[in-house]
Amino acid sequence: MQATLPGEEGRLPEVMAFLHGCWESIGLPEELLFPFELALEEVFMNVAMHGGTAAGPSTVWIDLEPAEDRLELGVSDDGPAFDPLAMATPDIDAPLEERPIGGLGIYLVREMMAGVSYERRDGRNALRMWKPL
Amino acid sequence: METTSEKTDRAIVLSPSGRLDFSAAAPFQEAIEKTIAEAAGAKLAVILDCSGLDYLSSAGLRCFLIGARTAQAAGARLIVCSLQKAVSEVFDVSGFSRIMPPVADRAAAVAAL
């Protein structure tokens, strides 16, 4: 299943509705919903908050594909090239006073998913995330 | 998401319920900061009862982090309790379980004061 929409912060409810629709119509396991909701929110919000240009928001393409042995979520955007996987890992052992406020989103995605890949292809940032079914 | 607040003789209990995602983060942060200010003024602790919270993303974690710092600066105790499984997983993975160790339930939170 696929969805295409502008990468705007206010579109998050639509993005989640798409994901919930996938779960209902494909009949996916309930225990996989939370990690995919989290991954999709983090990646979509990253594009919405940092991915656009002065000309306007990026276009975001979302697809969810169940294969035989795994469930794969793809999020692409036509914004400036940006590889979120190249970002430094936040220091999750730092004490309260030193914990940075940001940078946790992509870290959570990497931890909650079995695999994440990034590719810059045909003018788009393409992230793919998966977990075994 | 909804957040309710309740005053007991030793703490103000703030109970967020529903989904603490990016869209819900700003009003929740406002609620948490207001509660901490009120609690600090009345020499009370703050208990964040998360029994009704079923979703938490990094935007929500940011509220908890800012809340913990605000409480520390104001000299108020802040205790998180009753995390559901998904929320608990986010707390563990992000290392938040170490900087603000959650307790099992409200009785344990009161006992920890």
Side-chain angles (χ1 to χ4, degrees), chain A residues 9 12-13 16 20 31 34 37-39 41-42 45 49 92-105 107-108 111-112, chain B residues 19-23 54-59 61-62 64-66 68-69 72 85-87 89-90 92-96 98-100:
Chain A
E9 296 176 13
L12 183 62
M16 284 299 134
H20 294 150
E31 68 271 19
F34 176 69
E37 283 183 294
L38 184 70
E41 177 184 334
E42 300 297 352
M45 289 313 303
M49 291 191 290
I92 67 152
D93 293 318
L96 179 60
E97 305 75 38
E98 292 162 25
R99 276 303 288 255
I101 298 281
L104 263 176
Y107 177 80
L108 287 179
E111 291 295 310
M112 304 292 275
Chain B
R19 301 172 62 87
L20 182 44
D21 62 5
F22 179 86
S23 320
D54 39 42
Y55 179 91
L56 177 71
S57 67
S58 69
L61 278 177
R62 194 171 300 128
F64 280 85
L65 182 61
I66 294 171
R69 284 192 184 152
Q72 196 176 51
K85 190 169 163 275
V87 172
E89 194 178 352
V90 171
D92 287 344
V93 164
S94 60
F96 274 52
R98 284 190 296 274
I99 53 177
M100 50 182 98

Side-chain angles (χ1 to χ4, degrees), chain A residues 60-73:
Chain A
V60 180
W61 291 266
I62 304 168
D63 67 88
L64 189 83
E65 287 171 28
E68 218 169 83
D69 58 345
R70 71 181 191 179
L71 183 60
E72 196 169 311
L73 171 69

